[in-house]
Amino acid sequence: MVFTKFFVAIALVAVLVPSTSATDFMVGDDKGWTTNFDYQKWAEGKEFHVGDRLVFKYPQGAHDVLRVNGTVFQQCLKPADVPPLNSGNDVIPLATPGKKWYICGVAKHCEEGNQKLTITVWPEAGSPQGLPAPNPTPTSSARASISSAFYALTVALATVSGVIMV
């Protein structure tokens, strides 16, 4: 009986841990937030979820970060009513699912330096919320690997203990 309770606890952890893990994404990786970098290529293959955070690192005063809508993104316009983030270490929590757009509002960094990023944020793993429209490009996700590993571990432990969990 003690073993059964232990394995039920392991199963609960396997289900809950992947849904509560969040990821900090360093925008541009080691290049940071700068001009003449392909941020769409950087975002390709990454899966952003509610609860994750974007971290924009750059020399303070050299750039800024503005969250904008799709039209402003396409036109690289700096909206007057959006206060820029400009600490050089800006952290943006991804709180809602859907499309998100970010640009640099300094000089012509967006339009000439391609300093802009668009992503799709998915609901938190395991969330009953509706999903955004699927991305046509294949993605790989660390969450999927973790979930699969936990599931495999749970099945293996249940098999060893003689407890059948489906």
Side-chain angles (χ1 to χ4, degrees), residues 11-24:
L12 286 173
V13 168
V15 169
L16 297 176
V17 168
S19 67
T20 60
S21 62
T23 302
D24 283 356

Side-chain angles (χ1 to χ4, degrees), residues 50 96-100 119-123 132:
V50 168
T96 58
K99 292 285 269 186
K100 310 294 180 204
I119 62 170
T120 299
V121 178
W122 297 87

Side-chain angles (χ1 to χ4, degrees), residues 33-37 39 58-59 61-65 76-78 102-117:
W33 185 235
T34 188
T35 56
N36 303 312
F37 183 84
Y39 288 100
Y58 54 91
H63 305 289
D64 63 16
V65 180
C76 280
L77 297 175
K78 182 178 179 178
Y102 303 94
I103 65 170
C104 178
V106 173
K108 295 189 180 235
H109 292 188
C110 178
E111 56 194 353
E112 292 178 5
N114 200 35
Q115 195 171 358
K116 57 186 185 174
L117 168 69

Side-chain angles (χ1 to χ4, degrees), residues 16-53:
L16 297 176
V17 168
S19 67
T20 60
S21 62
T23 302
D24 283 356
F25 289 95
M26 181 75 65
V27 176
D29 295 325
D30 60 334
K31 297 288 186 192
W33 185 235
T34 188
T35 56
N36 303 312
F37 183 84
D38 189 347
Y39 288 100
Q40 292 322 116
K41 188 169 185 169
W42 170 83
E44 211 172 88
K46 291 177 175 58
E47 217 173 87
F48 304 93
H49 288 264
V50 168
D52 291 344
R53 301 182 326 163

